[in-house]
Amino acid sequence: MTKKVLSGIQPSGSLTLGNYIGAIKNFVKLQKEYECFFMVVDLHAITVTQDPAALRENSESVAALYLAAGIDPAISNVYMQSHVPQHAELGWIMTTLTAMGELERMTQFKDKSSGKDSVGSGLFVYPSLMAADILIYNADLVPVGEDQKQHLELTRDLAGRFNHRFGEFFTVPEPYIPEVGARIMSLDDASKKMSKSNPNAGSYIALLDPPDVIRKKISRATTDSGREVVYDPANKPEISNLMSIYAECSGMSLQQIADRYEGQMYGGFKKDLGEVLVASLEPLQQKYYEIRSSGTLGDILAEGAERARSVAAQNLAAVKERMGFLPLR
């Protein structure tokens, strides 16, 4: 049988170049080999306060960017997490199998709750819902960044725990971490991942940034001392990050880029990088606006959710039977 892949992105802000290179480009590749489920994880987004109008807009935007980037809804399931209620129901079941200590060890919870007087319980238990997202389809592979590996390990533990208690059922998922492009770092601090939640808009390239904004952000990007365009993440993390972006968006190798700018200063390199980014994102942006204006997005999401529900409902019913729930007559 064809293996299943599950992944999703939160609609909690504007998707960035880091989301595209580290996640969505890989989604497009994976759909050619696997049965893919690509969600917009709106239930996860509400673990922190969301403005309703912004949540609706961002949800549609993420879905349209999936499609604009090349995810084909004819062969991949593209849908809203909240449109498949089995996620939430299995999420509750997974919560009952998760120990408090396991959730307390999650570094993302520690980071996001640090310094806050009050934190919603959803932020604490959301790794159990993430486990349910994966297990509801018995996904074999999960594309994850380094910051999500801990959550996937919990998912693997919960799958094994359920199988031990109630009989073999869940597939224990494996991480899919691409060797190149998995982590694009912030433009103002290469020790931090590029993030749409960063309050400094100059720290990231949003996929829908206009050309002049892209050029300005790159021109202002932090660079290391010295002036050599060389790839040396340990000693020159800032220029190495910009070179990684250049390589991902141009198709050139890091060595080819270093050779091209040998003996030159950062200014010419950054100016060229701005143009490379503008040219790379222009087709995606054009396709995005075509999708948003076509009126077809709602139908695509409904069809994706219907297919996803058929798989999720069957698996949830099997889980509940094994646990001793009475079936609905």
Side-chain angles (χ1 to χ4, degrees):
M1 294 179 64
T2 303
K3 289 187 175 182
K4 297 185 179 70
V5 170
L6 180 285
S7 196
I9 296 176
Q10 288 193 30
S12 53
S14 302
L15 292 194
T16 71
L17 186 68
N19 296 126
Y20 178 63
I21 292 173
I24 300 175
K25 280 181 70 176
N26 288 305
F27 294 176
V28 175
K29 295 176 185 176
L30 288 166
Q31 70 180 346
K32 298 174 183 177
E33 299 181 45
Y34 303 99
E35 181 182 358
C36 292
F37 296 82
F38 296 130
M39 307 178 294
V40 180
V41 287
D42 49 354
L43 295 178
H44 287 301
I46 62 168
T47 56
V48 297
T49 303
Q50 298 288 339
D51 174 75
L55 180 62
R56 280 189 286 269
E57 169 60 27
N58 289 336
S59 295
E60 290 191 349
S61 180
V62 172
L65 283 168
Y66 278 175
L67 303 177
I71 295 177
D72 184 352
I75 59 175
S76 295
N77 302 293
V78 178
Y79 58 98
M80 302 301 303
Q81 181 189 24
S82 63
H83 292 176
V84 183
Q86 291 81 7
H87 284 265
E89 189 169 354
L90 185 61
W92 170 250
I93 290 173
M94 288 297 112
T95 302
T96 69
L97 296 176
T98 310
M100 291 278 289
E102 290 175 308
L103 295 173
E104 289 169 346
R105 288 193 292 272
M106 294 292 131
T107 55
Q108 276 218 331
F109 173 74
K110 294 177 183 178
D111 293 343
K112 291 184 178 181
S113 61
S114 177
K116 296 182 179 178
D117 296 330
S118 178
V119 178
S121 58
L123 187 62
F124 183 65
V125 301
Y126 102 89
S128 299
L129 176 58
M130 181 176 170
D133 296 334
I134 297 164
L135 298 177
I136 196 68
Y137 304 107
N138 262 330
D140 299 277
L141 291 173
V142 183
V144 290
E146 290 293 328
D147 57 338
Q148 293 289 345
K149 286 181 70 175
Q150 192 181 29
H151 293 158
L152 185 59
E153 283 303 315
L154 176 63
T155 302
R156 289 168 55 83
D157 290 342
L158 291 175
R161 190 171 303 160
F162 180 93
N163 291 346
H164 178 72
R165 292 185 189 179
F166 302 109
E168 290 292 323
F169 179 73
F170 284 129
T171 299
V172 179
E174 297 288 342
Y176 173 85
I177 303 175
E179 294 182 7
V180 179
R183 279 176 78 84
I184 296 298
M185 312 310 284
S186 173
L187 297 180
D188 63 348
D189 183 355
S191 69
K192 299 177 181 178
K193 189 176 75 168
M194 184 179 285
S195 172
K196 61 183 183 294
S197 61
N198 192 318
N200 175 19
S203 70
Y204 58 83
I205 300 294
L207 292 181
L208 298 177
D209 275 344
D212 287 348
V213 172
I214 293 172
R215 295 184 182 103
K216 183 177 291 186
K217 286 182 178 181
I218 292 298
S219 70
R220 295 178 177 177
T222 302
T223 48
D224 311 279
S225 59
R227 61 183 187 181
E228 303 85 4
V229 179
V230 294
Y231 188 75
D232 184 356
N235 298 305
K236 296 175 72 69
E238 309 289 354
I239 196 66
S240 296
N241 181 47
L242 295 179
M243 289 178 70
S244 293
I245 293 171
Y246 198 126
E248 287 289 337
C249 294
S250 69
M252 295 174 64
S253 71
L254 293 168
Q255 187 58 55
Q256 287 173 324
I257 295 167
D259 291 343
R260 171 174 286 189
Y261 295 97
E262 184 177 4
Q264 299 185 40
M265 295 187 290
Y266 294 150
F269 165 79
K270 291 170 77 173
K271 183 177 180 181
D272 289 350
L273 174 55
E275 297 307 320
V276 165
L277 275 171
V278 168
S280 176
L281 293 179
E282 182 181 18
L284 181 147
Q285 292 180 354
Q286 182 177 347
K287 183 67 173 176
Y288 168 85
Y289 290 114
E290 289 173 0
I291 292 166
R292 290 299 302 269
S293 63
S294 69
T296 61
L297 185 59
D299 290 337
I300 289 171
L301 292 173
E303 291 168 7
E306 184 177 2
R307 292 197 301 267
R309 280 195 302 269
S310 68
V311 178
Q314 183 176 345
N315 286 336
L316 180 62
V319 166
K320 293 170 73 173
E321 180 184 10
R322 282 166 169 76
M323 294 182 72
F325 289 96
L326 290 176
L328 178 65
R329 299 291 184 184

